[in-house]
Amino acid sequence: KNLHHTAKQWYQRRVRGHTEVYFKLISNIECTKLKLTKYDDEIYHQFRIAFPRVPVEVVDEDKLKSVSAKRRWRAFCQLFEYHIDDYNFGTLLRLDCKKTYNEQNTTLVPRVQFLAIEIARNRLGLNMCHFGRGTEKEEEVKDEEKKVDEEKREEESPPVPPPDSTAE
């Protein structure tokens, strides 16, 4: 049980670290000039062939995770099995590219799927809304994280009974 908890903590730190690094990148570098891997051109080309009509600005999670979409995405991801390290590692994808990472705006996808969608967003300039807003967005993300942590603590703490007025 302790090993499972430790592995879960490691995974959460790794995913959180990835989201922070990626958000800093799109906040500090013009996304149209950003290169995420040495295979960006190939990933983008194959993505547009395999998914020509998939909108990338706002991703519909239900469509993304439908049985037929999963089958198509699995085949797409396999194309990069020997090129991209951890090609199928779970990675958080923002559903709406105009918003920050938060629980309501993310879904877990394989790394290559994240790369395909984010490379498309960057090439289309959709992440430009975050450029130059690094510190402002970092503060917003920290505020959102604090709010979520406070809500979790409130849910986990037992309710405090009202004072008994008859005990005098």
Side-chain angles (χ1 to χ4, degrees):
K1 186 176 179 176
N2 194 24
L3 182 61
H4 174 73
H5 181 70
T6 303
K8 186 177 177 182
Q9 284 180 323
W10 172 86
Y11 180 79
Q12 288 173 337
R13 277 196 306 273
R14 181 167 177 191
V15 168
R16 180 175 284 160
H18 162 80
T19 59
E20 288 173 2
V21 167
Y22 183 67
F23 207 82
K24 282 181 183 178
L25 280 174
I26 62 174
S27 298
N28 293 300
I29 299 171
E30 287 185 43
C31 65
T32 55
K33 297 177 181 174
L34 187 59
K35 201 139 170 71
L36 300 179
T37 74
K38 65 181 180 181
Y39 300 104
D40 282 15
D41 293 338
E42 183 65 19
I43 292 170
Y44 182 71
H45 178 73
Q46 292 298 329
F47 172 65
R48 284 304 179 200
I49 289 171
F51 303 96
R53 290 181 294 283
V54 169
V56 293
E57 185 170 354
V58 178
V59 175
D60 183 328
E61 186 173 18
D62 293 331
K63 288 181 182 176
L64 187 72
K65 297 201 175 192
S66 71
V67 174
S68 63
K70 281 183 179 181
R71 190 176 15 237
R72 290 175 62 210
W73 275 109
R74 193 174 305 114
F76 176 84
C77 291
Q78 291 300 125
L79 295 172
F80 299 96
E81 178 179 6
Y82 300 106
H83 302 288
I84 304 294
D85 290 338
D86 298 327
Y87 78 103
N88 64 348
F89 185 81
T91 306
L92 288 177
L93 173 72
R94 291 171 300 131
L95 296 171
D96 183 341
C97 71
K98 303 263 187 262
K99 297 180 180 176
T100 61
Y101 282 98
N102 63 48
E103 196 172 331
Q104 296 77 30
N105 191 43
T106 54
T107 190
L108 195 63
V109 298
R111 182 165 185 247
V112 171
Q113 190 173 13
F114 163 85
L115 289 169
I117 292 170
E118 287 297 336
I119 289 167
R121 287 173 171 176
N122 289 337
R123 293 197 174 188
L124 295 170
L126 297 173
N127 282 324
M128 283 302 291
C129 61
H130 303 293
F131 179 63
R133 298 173 63 188
T135 24
E136 179 184 321
K137 287 293 176 185
E138 286 175 24
E139 291 302 317
E140 187 179 313
V141 169
K142 286 178 186 174
D143 289 345
E144 286 177 22
E145 287 176 355
K146 282 182 188 176
K147 187 177 176 183
V148 169
D149 288 344
E150 288 171 5
E151 288 172 359
K152 283 183 182 176
R153 269 188 254 119
E154 286 175 9
E155 289 173 3
E156 293 170 357
S157 62
V160 178
D164 188 5
S165 59
T166 59
E168 285 189 20

